[in-house]
Amino acid sequence: MRKRNGLLALLAVVLSFSLVFTGCAKKTEENKTGENKTPQVIKYVLGADPETLDPGKMTGAPEGTIANEVFEGLTRYDKDGKIAPGIAESWEVSQDGKTYTFHLRDAKWSDGTPVTANDFKYAWLRALSPELASEYAYQLYYIKGAEEYNSGKGKAEDVGITVVDDKTLKVELKEPAPQFLGLTAFQTLMPLKKEAVEANPDFKVGNGKKIIGNGPFVIDSYTSKDKIVLKKNPNYWDASSVKLDELDFYLIDDAKTALTMFENGEVDMISDIPTEDMPRLKQEGKLKVFPQLATYFYRFNTTKKPFNDPRVRKAFAMAIDRQALIDTILQAEQKPAYAFVPYGILDANGKDFRENGGNAYFKEDVAEAKKLLAEAGYPDGKGFPTVTILFNTSEGHKKIAEAIQQMWKKNLGVNVKILNQEWQVYLDSQRKLKYDICRAGWIADYSDPMTFIDMFVTNGGNNETGWSNKKYDELVKKAKSTNDQAVRMQAMHDAEKILMDEMPIMPIYFYTNPELISDKLQDVIVPSFGVEAEFKWASVK
């Protein structure tokens, strides 16, 4: 999934904290019957202001975390990380795997009106419309006619989405796609109420504007650089499972400030933790580290010199010490990445995709890196232009960039500058290729290698390197055109090899997910992919 703005970020893990609450004064209030009641409010530090609250346009994990609480797709991942009924209470898949028929339950929007099959068709066609220019439109390309419509070569009426009746939605795929069902829980495929979108096309909150959702919570208020307050949605079909009255997303992108607030008891959960505090927090037993399906990497802008030459890109990738970055800066059990797809996804034979493919598509070799740079016309770095590493504002990203800057200077003799931008500006610069080298992180949208591999097809919405390779595109198409898992997986292994041979991206490490979570929280789910955290079943002890 998606873009992550912090250093951090798991197989679904339910955090059922049974530790005894040791705070000095548990805040309580009296309910109507005179009994003490713990306020059911969780305060979570989300990071910077979200780029957008429009599910059809958002790409970042923080934005997806909000969407997951305000909207609900046909399916939703359960406490165990398994696909479960969402707005669809059941579905059938045709024998050839190409036709899905979803049966919707009685569900309502937050304004009390019914959710219908038309709301899904409207949202999906909107995401595919060339006018919206959604970067994630390709997640709908499995549907017959979808890619043609999105590329301007087809019509909306030819897309394989049929509203049989208000409660029945039929979807025709081009080819069988085992991952499609999981995608129906993803933000781009969440339903939208047409009238609400037309009344508030920019998805603003405040000054008379509000967002109509169908999820566990509804946005009550939004104060930029402060917090987004969500309240329990009484019209949610499964409202009886929602124990929180309020969920506050704090908009703080300074990790040190967030840590201070956590240790002062002002917030309950943070995931962007200052790297220099990791050893202390580990020693104090406060830090919880979980696995995550995500990769931290740098993009190269392949559309201009000097990174239009794969020899230069490979030289840069071979001239850093990943384990040193982990040992001296990150300190949270990450693994060096010499491939793009992380550990934790099953291959066709039931074993780990990464273990099968190996984590050694390239190696760190300064002598070979210098040789490649010389072959590209820059012996000992002579004549190499000064280039810049772009990253979103974060002390952690800055420390990594500074360390890599020094490694490239020492090992290749090249001069590198670093530049930070605010989250929204950084995303725009990345999208428009206004960079030389750009920090990036990618969390799986679903548990399948395809969520990483199809990012880099020619002109892909999340490619953002300018790189193109015809053979790579053919392999991705092959993997998407068969229901034979062995054929699918081999095609993705072959595609990943091309990606690593040509190196439009430089993998750095496979994420883990260090978290600080108050002992008073229970049933907060921290998934290994998709969103940063799930609060539907959460409560406060």
Side-chain angles (χ1 to χ4, degrees):
M1 162 170 175
R2 38 188 104 171
K3 295 157 186 168
R4 176 154 186 127
N5 68 10
L7 288 173
L8 326 168
L10 356 184
L11 308 172
V13 175
V14 182
L15 302 176
S16 300
F17 299 103
S18 56
L19 300 178
V20 176
F21 180 71
T22 55
C24 58
K26 189 176 182 177
K27 292 180 179 178
T28 60
E29 61 184 21
E30 289 191 352
N31 62 19
K32 293 179 179 178
T33 62
E35 299 171 329
N36 287 333
K37 181 186 175 187
T38 302
Q40 293 299 304
V41 180
I42 289 181
K43 301 172 182 177
Y44 174 70
V45 176
L46 186 73
D49 275 81
E51 184 183 32
T52 177
L53 294 175
D54 181 346
K57 297 177 74 172
M58 59 178 57
T59 60
E63 291 83 354
T65 301
I66 299 171
N68 189 57
E69 305 301 344
V70 177
F71 295 91
E72 184 166 284
L74 292 166
T75 61
R76 190 181 188 97
Y77 284 94
D78 66 14
K79 293 180 179 179
D80 299 320
K82 296 178 180 175
I83 299 168
I87 298 302
E89 60 182 354
S90 65
W91 53 83
E92 295 112 31
V93 184
S94 63
Q95 196 165 11
D96 64 2
K98 294 185 179 180
T99 303
Y100 286 68
T101 303
F102 296 94
H103 303 282
L104 277 58
R105 65 177 78 251
D106 291 331
K108 293 180 180 178
W109 292 102
S110 52
D111 65 359
T113 56
V115 178
T116 71
N118 272 304
D119 298 324
F120 285 91
K121 181 174 182 176
Y122 166 72
W124 296 10
L125 290 180
R126 177 178 177 270
L128 285 167
S129 64
E131 296 77 21
L132 193 72
S134 169
E135 291 178 59
Y136 256 134
Y138 69 88
Q139 296 288 39
L140 289 152
Y141 282 5
Y142 299 100
I143 302 173
K144 186 178 175 183
E147 183 172 4
E148 290 79 3
Y149 173 47
N150 182 242
S151 62
K153 299 175 183 175
K155 300 176 181 177
E157 52 265 36
D158 294 331
V159 179
I161 308 169
T162 303
V163 175
V164 179
D165 55 45
D166 280 354
K167 294 288 189 65
T168 312
L169 183 72
K170 187 168 79 172
V171 184
E172 297 175 79
L173 307 186
K174 289 187 291 190
E175 302 290 346
Q179 64 272 38
F180 178 72
L181 194 60
L183 274 170
T184 62
F186 188 63
Q187 65 206 27
T188 314
L189 280 71
M190 288 172 174
L192 293 171
K193 182 173 178 175
K194 183 180 179 182
E195 296 81 0
V197 175
E198 290 175 347
N200 184 18
D202 295 325
F203 285 72
K204 298 294 184 185
V205 177
N207 297 319
K209 301 283 188 183
K210 60 182 178 180
I211 294 174
I212 304 298
N214 68 326
F217 298 92
V218 61
I219 299 178
D220 183 69
S221 65
Y222 178 179
T223 307
S224 179
K225 300 187 183 303
D226 184 11
K227 62 182 175 182
I228 302 174
V229 176
L230 278 61
K231 301 280 190 181
K232 180 177 178 176
N233 176 10
N235 286 312
Y236 178 50
W237 70 271
D238 194 22
S240 61
S241 296
V242 181
K243 302 177 182 71
L244 293 180
D245 296 318
E246 183 175 315
L247 175 60
D248 297 343
F249 288 126
Y250 277 71
L251 305 175
I252 300 166
D253 60 2
D254 183 277
K256 202 71 180 176
T257 300
L259 176 60
T260 299
M261 293 180 70
F262 178 83
E263 296 195 307
N264 289 338
E266 298 171 72
V267 296
D268 304 310
M269 183 172 172
I270 65 173
S271 59
D272 191 8
I273 302 164
T275 55
E276 63 270 25
D277 289 283
M278 292 283 187
R280 172 180 68 82
L281 294 166
K282 275 185 187 175
Q283 192 173 28
E284 294 173 355
K286 295 178 179 176
L287 194 69
K288 300 173 175 68
V289 180
F290 305 99
Q292 186 176 45
L293 299 180
T295 305
Y296 189 100
F297 63 100
Y298 278 3
R299 284 182 163 93
F300 294 115
N301 184 345
T302 68
T303 66
K304 63 178 185 179
K305 290 184 176 180
F307 296 114
N308 60 345
D309 187 331
R311 292 172 298 185
V312 174
R313 303 193 295 262
K314 293 179 80 168
F316 272 58
M318 296 171 75
I320 67 169
D321 186 340
R322 289 162 177 78
Q323 191 63 54
L325 295 173
I326 292 168
D327 292 342
T328 60
I329 299 176
L330 297 161
Q331 305 181 75
E333 305 169 22
Q334 294 88 350
K335 291 181 179 177
Y338 304 98
F340 186 50
V341 179
Y343 293 91
I345 301 177
L346 295 182
D347 208 328
N349 61 0
K351 296 181 179 177
D352 189 276
F353 181 90
R354 183 72 287 126
E355 295 283 355
N356 281 348
N359 183 23
Y361 280 112
F362 63 98
K363 61 181 180 180
E364 291 159 3
D365 185 332
V366 174
E368 180 65 19
K370 294 181 73 167
K371 180 183 173 189
L372 286 168
L373 200 62
E375 290 175 359
Y378 309 105
D380 297 320
K382 292 174 183 172
F384 197 86
T386 298
V387 295
T388 301
I389 301 173
L390 172 67
F391 57 94
N392 56 300
T393 302
S394 154
E395 276 302 307
H397 297 323
K398 182 182 177 186
K399 288 180 181 178
I400 292 174
E402 287 174 339
I404 290 176
Q405 176 190 39
Q406 292 170 11
M407 291 174 183
W408 282 338
K409 178 66 177 177
K410 176 185 175 185
N411 295 332
L412 298 176
V414 300
N415 294 313
V416 177
K417 297 191 294 186
I418 63 172
L419 172 67
N420 68 295
Q421 293 179 341
E422 296 302 313
W423 177 240
Q424 295 89 343
V425 180
Y426 149 85
L427 289 177
D428 189 59
S429 295
Q430 188 173 223
R431 185 180 302 122
K432 294 176 179 173
L433 299 184
K434 293 165 65 177
Y435 70 86
D436 299 316
I437 307 164
C438 184
R439 193 296 301 182
W442 194 258
I443 310 173
D445 295 326
Y446 46 92
S447 186
D448 190 284
M450 187 59 78
T451 187
F452 291 90
I453 296 296
D454 70 356
M455 288 173 62
F456 295 103
V457 296
T458 300
N459 298 321
N462 286 306
N463 181 318
E464 298 178 338
T465 64
W467 180 71
S468 172
N469 182 289
K470 187 177 178 181
K471 180 63 177 173
Y472 186 89
D473 294 346
E474 289 173 353
L475 286 165
V476 173
K477 185 176 182 180
K478 181 179 181 180
K480 289 188 172 183
S481 303
T482 177
N483 210 19
D484 185 325
Q485 284 293 77
V487 173
R488 284 187 71 240
M489 293 295 174
Q490 188 57 54
M492 288 190 278
H493 280 298
D494 293 345
E496 187 182 33
K497 183 177 186 309
I498 292 173
L499 188 71
M500 293 295 93
D501 282 347
E502 298 207 359
M503 205 69 77
I505 58 166
M506 180 182 90
I508 299 176
Y509 65 86
F510 297 128
Y511 275 94
T512 58
N513 192 7
E515 297 272 354
L516 289 176
I517 306 172
S518 168
D519 292 340
K520 67 183 181 181
L521 304 192
Q522 58 186 4
D523 291 337
V524 175
I525 299 171
V526 186
S528 64
F529 58 89
V531 301
E532 293 186 357
E534 163 69 274
F535 297 96
K536 173 179 172 178
W537 299 277
S539 64
V540 184
K541 293 196 293 185

